Amino acid sequence: MQRELVEQAIGGNHDAFSELVRLSSRKLYAVATLILRDRTRAEDAAQEALVAAWLDLSGLRDPDRFEAWLHRILVRECYRLSKKERRRIEAEGQVQPLTETADPSTQNAHRDELERGFARLPVDQRTVLVLHHYAGYSFPEIADTLGIPVGTAKSRVHRATSAMRAALKADARTPRLGGTSA
């Protein structure tokens, strides 16, 4: 079904592209929010990616690769916005996790810990972690999305995971207000 919509959109069908946008926009926004750590910039990145996709739709060679192609455009927009505004901005809220745990207090503590560690990472490391762990992309899909070799995708995910672990360890050693540690 998605292939048919993509083919119709490539043919200039605005309604088909609108349906593709409806199907993709929530995930694009979630990925951009996780990468950029700011809702407003994530909205801008997702919107710009969709506009760029519409303008360059005729350049899509394989309609079955629409989602990866669209995510590649989104990642480029996230990088562009990140470079434009080098300072880190804390997100006002979090994207809802895909699964829920039984104990909300434990879930919140873990989420806060991950948020702090994630915020310490540069945008390129957040990107590969989001694509791999949130979007569920395989290494070949990450490589395709970022336009890099599979081995490079594997090493970037490995380095980002190591950096995340280091950030979490450093955060655990940092005293919190009230004398407690996370």
Side-chain angles (χ1 to χ4, degrees), residues 41-83:
R41 291 189 317 153
E43 288 173 3
D44 290 346
Q47 184 68 31
E48 290 296 322
L50 290 168
V51 169
W54 173 252
L55 294 174
D56 195 32
L57 198 54
S58 63
L60 177 62
R61 291 184 293 266
D62 183 359
D64 291 325
R65 303 293 304 144
F66 175 77
E67 188 174 334
W69 176 77
L70 187 56
H71 277 89
R72 181 180 307 140
I73 294 169
L74 176 70
V75 168
R76 279 197 310 256
E77 283 300 320
C78 288
Y79 282 172
R80 185 185 65 77
L81 286 174
S82 180
K83 287 177 186 175

Side-chain angles (χ1 to χ4, degrees), residues 100-118:
E100 297 290 326
T101 60
D103 183 2
S105 63
T106 302
Q107 177 187 1
N108 288 338
H110 289 302
R111 182 185 298 149
D112 290 345
E113 182 181 355
L114 287 173
E115 283 290 322
R116 287 189 302 272
F118 204 62

Side-chain angles (χ1 to χ4, degrees), residues 7-60:
E7 289 171 344
Q8 291 172 10
I10 289 172
N13 185 325
H14 292 271
D15 292 335
F17 188 75
S18 293
E19 181 63 14
L20 289 168
V21 167
R22 188 189 68 74
L23 294 170
S24 308
S25 60
R26 186 169 172 236
K27 188 172 182 180
L28 287 176
Y29 172 72
V31 167
T33 300
L34 289 168
I35 292 170
L36 294 171
R37 314 300 303 145
D38 178 79
R39 288 180 174 183
T40 303
R41 291 189 317 153
E43 288 173 3
D44 290 346
Q47 184 68 31
E48 290 296 322
L50 290 168
V51 169
W54 173 252
L55 294 174
D56 195 32
L57 198 54
S58 63
L60 177 62

Side-chain angles (χ1 to χ4, degrees), residues 89-137:
I89 299 174
E90 289 294 320
E92 295 174 17
Q94 291 89 19
V95 175
Q96 293 299 316
L98 296 177
T99 59
E100 297 290 326
T101 60
D103 183 2
S105 63
T106 302
Q107 177 187 1
N108 288 338
H110 289 302
R111 182 185 298 149
D112 290 345
E113 182 181 355
L114 287 173
E115 283 290 322
R116 287 189 302 272
F118 204 62
R120 290 179 178 223
L121 299 178
V123 69
D124 59 325
Q125 290 183 339
R126 287 194 306 259
T127 299
V128 295
L129 289 178
V130 168
L131 291 175
H132 187 64
H133 294 290
Y134 179 79
Y137 278 28

